Amino acid sequence: MTDRIITLLIVDDHPVVRDGLRGMFASDPGFDVLGEAAGGVEAVELAQRLDPDVVLMDLRMPAGGGVQAIAELARRGTRAKVLVLTTYDTDSDTIPAIEAGATGYLLKDAPRGELFTAVRAAAEGRTVLSPAIASRLVSAVRNPAVPAAKVLSAREREVLELVARGTSNREIARELFISEATVKTHLTHLYGKLGVKDRAAAVAVAYDRGILG
Amino acid sequence: MTDRIITLLIVDDHPVVRDGLRGMFASDPGFDVLGEAAGGVEAVELAQRLDPDVVLMDLRMPAGGGVQAIAELARRGTRAKVLVLTTYDTDSDTIPAIEAGATGYLLKDAPRGELFTAVRAAAEGRTVLSPAIASRLVSAVRNPAVPAAKVLSAREREVLELVARGTSNREIARELFISEATVKTHLTHLYGKLGVKDRAAAVAVAYDRGILG
DNA sequence: AGGAGCATCAGCCGATCGGCTGATGGAGGG
DNA sequence: CCCTCCATCAGCCGATCGGCTGATGCTCCT
């Protein structure tokens, strides 16, 4: 199993990164890069057509988000294992990506050897995590997961976005065609979810968690 | 001038990106990659020792910021032209980097050909900017340059940081050993500088500009 | 000497916010 | 069918905020 050739699909919006990865894997006869995609939508399509063992996937892409692409692949029952390869260990998409079905999660600054090992592991279905990611995961699991009790609803996010622009409650109400009372309700709720007491702190926390910005 | 071999130094904290760039330039006999650095400090040192024509520099790096490295190179009168190669067109370091002495500014998703052209241009001392960056620059210049009228004082930043944590004016006053009236004065001033009307928007703008977060 | 910018303070007042209590209807899961 | 979550709305009230006007002392630069 370990000595079979592993086929790959590379998904990243940066040509430079795609080149780097392709070059890396080309130098090892144990791998075969079947194709490249620059966005999530294209990735899903190519994954179906080329049927690679492993998909190396960047998360932040203009043309179709990585997380959605992973979810879509899972929904279609694609055989390929998805190995997320991203720049940020602070990425707020870490947990969603894994929930969506990613087999592993590596940072781009991982050394070559680690990458190769990770791809082989992923091909066999084993989970691989960067140490930084792993530690974030365990702490995320330790803390009651933040299980949805802290996920803002779509409406709450809308309100929060307007708050970040300096919009008053009354103006928000007009903007969203709801009453001021409802705006205040949404605010009270999202304060609770974000663990803050006022709008300024809510905006700060939202930026820290990647909800805004 | 155009047909001399151009020597390069690659600076990026990601091995993958360094590989990608090295591979790209290796394929063209007109370029010679002298070395690689993973951080700003190392970059300055290598630039002095290797004396490349062009330094390809990432901005966001853990080991020594790119902007500081550029400034340091300029201070030392290094011959090398610095071509910033970054991921973000929203990067708040754009203008500082150019002020620090960068010859050009490209986004990583630029196609190969553009990169080659840009490096040759940079080697000749010509300025190269990604379209997105260029447009940001002109607008930055059109607006009176943000001339210091919009730079927060140290005290104002302190107040703003506390605001972002949800601290009330009274608490901020206690925290900083000043009166509540003074806190309000600082706030009024920084609202003016940031072009906002309330604390929530101030926090948002501060995050956008990299003042907070 | 004078101006600009910063940090400090005062008082007043209307606008806005946030907490509290309580309620309704719709959607989705068990 | 019941429960939960979401979105919607109401009214009350004290706390907080932001604008306005005006003032002092300090430092740095011209």
Side-chain angles (χ1 to χ4, degrees):
Chain A
M1 205 172 200
T2 345
D3 49 357
R4 231 199 54 231
I5 288 183
I6 295 170
T7 55
L8 294 170
L9 172 64
I10 294 173
V11 185
D12 197 300
D13 55 326
H14 302 306
V16 170
V17 174
R18 291 203 301 275
D19 262 40
L21 290 170
R22 188 182 265 280
M24 262 167 141
F25 288 104
S27 73
D28 188 316
F31 301 105
D32 184 10
V33 179
L34 299 183
E36 301 177 5
V41 181
E42 196 188 342
V44 172
E45 191 203 321
L46 277 181
Q48 288 230 291
R49 216 169 61 216
L50 303 175
D51 188 37
D53 297 317
V54 176
V55 178
L56 281 178
M57 172 95 70
D58 189 17
L59 281 190
R60 302 210 182 170
M61 291 177 298
V67 175
Q68 286 151 276
I70 296 171
E72 182 62 18
L73 285 174
R75 205 182 61 73
R76 300 197 184 181
T78 316
R79 190 184 60 85
K81 310 292 182 184
V82 177
L83 183 56
V84 172
L85 193 59
T86 193
T87 311
Y88 316 92
D89 55 346
T90 57
D91 209 309
S92 60
D93 290 333
T94 312
I95 284 102
I98 289 175
E99 279 174 350
T103 300
Y105 206 112
L106 277 191
L107 295 183
K108 276 186 188 158
D109 46 15
R112 289 161 194 67
E114 201 173 305
L115 223 181
F116 287 177
T117 311
V119 171
R120 290 205 192 85
E124 294 170 20
R126 283 186 287 126
T127 299
V128 206
L129 297 176
S130 278
I133 303 293
S135 67
R136 289 192 64 222
L137 256 192
V138 294
S139 73
V141 172
R142 236 193 283 284
N143 302 13
V146 198
K150 290 198 176 178
V151 178
L152 300 192
S153 73
R155 205 50 158 171
E156 286 160 357
R157 255 194 305 279
E158 273 186 286
V159 171
L160 184 54
E161 273 165 31
L162 290 170
V163 163
R165 296 205 196 107
T167 322
S168 76
N169 291 350
R170 188 169 309 166
E171 287 167 332
I172 293 172
R174 266 201 287 272
E175 191 96 15
L176 299 182
F177 304 105
I178 58 182
S179 83
E180 205 180 325
T182 305
V183 173
K184 290 176 68 174
T185 305
H186 288 314
L187 279 175
T188 303
H189 287 162
L190 72 86
Y191 290 161
K193 290 180 179 179
L194 297 181
V196 300
K197 289 172 53 213
D198 64 50
R199 40 181 64 212
V203 169
V205 169
Y207 268 90
D208 283 338
R209 301 200 188 162
I211 301 171
L212 288 179
Chain B
M1 207 171 200
T2 344
D3 49 358
R4 232 199 54 229
I5 289 183
I6 294 171
T7 55
L8 295 170
L9 172 63
I10 294 173
V11 186
D12 197 301
D13 56 327
H14 301 308
V16 169
V17 175
R18 291 203 302 275
D19 261 40
L21 290 170
R22 187 182 267 279
M24 262 167 140
F25 287 106
S27 72
D28 187 316
F31 301 105
D32 184 9
V33 178
L34 299 183
E36 301 177 2
V41 179
E42 196 188 343
V44 172
E45 191 203 321
L46 277 181
Q48 287 231 290
R49 217 170 62 214
L50 303 175
D51 189 37
D53 297 316
V54 175
V55 178
L56 281 178
M57 171 95 70
D58 190 17
L59 280 191
R60 302 208 183 171
M61 291 177 297
V67 175
Q68 285 152 280
I70 296 170
E72 181 62 18
L73 285 174
R75 206 183 60 75
R76 300 196 184 182
T78 314
R79 191 183 60 85
K81 309 293 181 185
V82 177
L83 183 56
V84 172
L85 193 61
T86 194
T87 310
Y88 315 93
D89 56 345
T90 58
D91 209 310
S92 60
D93 290 334
T94 312
I95 285 103
I98 289 174
E99 279 173 350
T103 299
Y105 207 113
L106 279 192
L107 296 183
K108 277 187 187 158
D109 45 15
R112 289 162 194 67
E114 201 173 306
L115 224 181
F116 287 179
T117 310
V119 170
R120 290 204 192 88
E124 294 170 20
R126 281 186 289 127
T127 300
V128 205
L129 298 176
S130 279
I133 303 293
S135 68
R136 291 192 62 221
L137 255 192
V138 295
S139 75
V141 171
R142 235 193 282 286
N143 302 14
V146 199
K150 292 198 175 177
V151 178
L152 299 192
S153 74
R155 205 52 159 172
E156 286 159 357
R157 256 194 306 278
E158 275 186 283
V159 171
L160 183 53
E161 274 165 30
L162 290 169
V163 164
R165 295 204 196 106
T167 320
S168 76
N169 291 349
R170 189 169 306 166
E171 288 167 332
I172 293 172
R174 267 201 288 273
E175 191 95 14
L176 300 181
F177 303 106
I178 57 182
S179 83
E180 203 179 326
T182 305
V183 173
K184 290 176 70 175
T185 304
H186 287 315
L187 280 176
T188 302
H189 287 161
L190 72 85
Y191 289 161
K193 290 180 179 179
L194 297 181
V196 300
K197 289 173 53 212
D198 64 51
R199 41 182 64 213
V203 169
V205 170
Y207 269 89
D208 283 338
R209 301 201 187 163
I211 300 171
L212 288 179

